[in-house]
Amino acid sequence: MKNVLCAKCVRCGREYPATPDTTVCECGGILDICYDYEYIRSHVSREYYARCDEIGMWRYRAFLPVEESTPAPPLRVGASPLYEAPRLASQLSISRLWIKDDGLNPTASLKDRASSLAVAKAMEAGADTIACSSTGNAASSLAGNAAAAGMRTFIFVPSRAPIGKVAQLRIFGATVISVEGSYEDAFRLSAEAIDRYGWYNRNAAINPYLMEGKKTVSFEIAEQLGWNVPDYVAVSVGDGCTIAGVWKGFQDLHAAGLIDRLPRLLSVQAAGCYPINRAARSGAPWEPMPEDTIADSIAVGVPRNPDKAIRAIQNSHGLTIEVTDDEILDAMRLLGRTCGVFGEPAGVTALAGLVKASQNALLPDNASVAVIVTGNGLKDTANGIRAAGEPIHLPPDMTLLEEALKDVM
Ligand SMILES: *Cc1c(COP(=O)(O)O)cnc(C)c1O
Ligand SMILES: [Zn+2]
């Protein structure tokens, strides 16, 4: 990889060659992939992208840690729309607001960006089987992207994973182990099994390449804004890999001279589970928390990628906000009704955080904000109905209809 220098430990600074199956440092620290930005600069520019006709995240291959000869996996990941939302912006007293709908990825979450990269690295490692543990979306995206590339998957999910996500897993042919217990329990069992059977490991905590796939969401936001950057980017946070990736993406573009400033991060967690926000605010080491929220994708009491996430929030001079389940359900309705976008609970948590930030006047009046919707609401229709209510139930009778509609019109 001519664009990659090494994999460097975020804790002790030790450097390793970036091999396809690189995992963690000897000290237990997570590795960060370091790039040769001189090399990248000599290959891409705004002019290059104006002419580039590749669609999706592999358009940004110059910034991705893969061999030049490695083919892009088959599913089309990325190229998700960035909608400007002027009515919602004025409701929230924000000068400009954009919604990045990453629920429109092939398996309906931002996790596809990480899984596409994981499949490419598994191909480089010569693996034919990949495994991971996940709150649901990492699993379904791995299963889908691996299926398209002809690979087998073994997936560990906590038993609370919504049925929509489990259905995806089964349809994509994964062997699914639904673990009685928390995400932490599922993670531990998967780690043991990966050791035992030698599968390629797509656990976000261990695999330093996943974040490198997730960062492509920032490349898209910047390019969709004409290589401009919003003042804030709001992200929902569980393990912390997504927000760390978002930050890395903007840093990469800055280092390569494609953008001339960096955004601040708005890190949003559930009020029932916010170990990363708590540590980012206090500066003290993070501590585990219970996992008490309907936003299953971010119910992560023992985050696996806290170091990079906390550093990203702090380095960006970011804000940390927690939202209750009711505020998350409100945001599901609000997003659907003002933008026509259906997000799952964790998918709209960033928006719920922005609503709260605006209510508490935490942002300057002229702020511009991009909100990332990280997962599609069709994965979790039970919470959709909980957020928006039942339809009008009626026998087929016009008089009854007229009566019922009086209340609505
Ligand atoms: C995984 C996920 C997140 C959070 O990403 P982390 O890397 O765990 O912080 C947010 N929203 C959705 C829908 C997710 O699936
Ligand atoms: Zn180390």
Side-chain angles (χ1 to χ4, degrees):
M1 296 183 283
K2 295 192 189 120
N3 58 344
V4 172
L5 298 173
C6 66
K8 185 173 177 181
C9 176
V10 295
R11 201 178 289 164
C12 76
R14 185 159 170 192
E15 295 180 1
Y16 296 84
T19 56
D21 52 2
T22 293
T23 55
V24 291
C25 181
E26 268 175 18
C27 82
I30 293 174
L31 301 178
D32 187 37
I33 306 297
C34 300
Y35 293 89
D36 179 349
Y37 292 107
E38 284 301 309
Y39 180 85
I40 294 175
R41 263 173 191 266
S42 71
H43 281 75
V44 296
S45 59
R46 293 186 182 185
E47 295 70 42
Y48 167 85
Y49 282 113
R51 281 180 281 107
C52 176
D53 56 12
E54 171 121 35
I55 294 169
M57 65 177 267
W58 290 91
R59 172 180 181 83
Y60 307 101
R61 178 187 272 275
F63 292 91
L64 296 178
V66 290
E67 301 291 346
E68 277 164 62
S69 57
T70 304
L75 288 188
R76 195 226 61 202
V77 176
S80 64
L82 183 76
Y83 300 119
E84 180 147 24
R87 273 169 297 121
L88 186 52
S90 69
Q91 250 184 56
L92 299 178
S93 313
I94 287 161
S95 115
R96 297 190 74 179
L97 174 60
W98 295 274
I99 301 292
K100 177 69 170 165
D101 186 6
D102 245 46
L104 289 185
N105 273 303
T107 79
S109 83
L110 184 146
K111 297 282 194 300
D112 281 333
R113 298 180 186 273
S115 291
S116 185
L117 201 72
V119 166
K121 294 312 283 184
M123 290 195 269
E124 287 180 3
D128 56 8
T129 305
I130 315 185
C132 79
S133 66
S134 155
T135 54
N137 285 331
S140 51
S141 81
L142 175 61
N145 283 277
M151 292 182 184
R152 265 198 95 174
T153 48
F154 287 85
I155 308 284
F156 298 76
V157 291
S159 50
R160 63 150 196 266
I163 189 73
K165 297 178 185 178
V166 177
Q168 282 185 298
L169 290 173
R170 298 294 301 124
I171 286 289
F172 296 141
T175 302
V176 184
I177 298 100
S178 173
V179 181
E180 290 162 26
S182 65
Y183 170 57
E184 168 69 3
D185 296 320
F187 182 90
R188 265 204 314 264
L189 185 61
S190 77
E192 259 180 68
I194 286 165
D195 250 11
R196 164 90 57 99
Y197 298 105
W199 302 322
Y200 188 80
N201 190 339
R202 186 238 181 266
N203 276 330
I206 304 252
N207 187 321
Y209 296 111
L210 302 175
M211 197 185 100
E212 304 300 315
K214 288 183 173 183
K215 75 185 180 184
T216 58
V217 71
S218 300
F219 298 164
E220 290 180 9
I221 291 172
E223 191 177 7
Q224 285 166 317
L225 294 176
W227 303 111
N228 286 308
V229 171
D231 297 327
Y232 292 85
V233 178
V235 188
S236 64
V237 175
D239 249 336
C241 178
T242 303
I243 197 166
V246 166
W247 181 238
K248 178 103 180 243
F250 286 112
Q251 283 186 306
D252 277 0
L253 293 181
H254 196 248
L258 281 159
I259 56 173
D260 49 25
R261 64 178 191 130
L262 294 166
R264 297 173 67 181
L265 297 173
L266 196 62
S267 167
V268 190
Q269 293 205 279
C273 189
Y274 59 99
I276 288 183
N277 275 1
R278 186 166 69 175
R281 265 200 303 273
S282 72
W286 70 274
E287 304 253 2
M289 287 188 86
E291 298 172 352
D292 182 16
T293 171
I294 56 164
D296 61 286
S297 306
I298 53 166
V300 183
V302 182
R304 293 293 166 177
N305 215 335
D307 297 353
K308 286 185 193 174
I310 292 166
R311 199 179 55 176
I313 297 163
Q314 291 171 341
N315 289 351
S316 84
H317 306 286
L319 292 174
T320 53
I321 294 182
E322 289 86 52
V323 290
T324 63
D325 284 355
D326 281 341
E327 288 167 333
I328 290 171
L329 292 171
D330 287 347
M332 276 176 94
R333 254 191 338 261
L334 181 67
L335 181 66
R337 291 173 188 192
T338 56
C339 300
V341 171
F342 186 11
E344 67 162 294
V348 304
T349 296
L351 177 63
L354 176 62
V355 170
K356 200 157 192 175
S358 124
Q359 283 164 352
N360 294 315
L362 299 179
L363 303 181
D365 285 343
N366 55 355
S368 60
V369 186
V371 171
I372 303 175
V373 174
T374 45
N376 196 296
L378 286 173
K379 286 172 177 274
D380 185 359
T381 48
N383 275 314
I385 292 290
R386 212 167 135 191
E390 292 282 336
I392 299 166
H393 293 283
L394 264 193
D397 180 302
M398 188 61 202
T399 319
L400 291 175
L401 176 64
E402 278 177 3
E403 234 166 76
L405 290 186
K406 267 187 213 143
D407 298 340
V408 184
M409 300 212 287

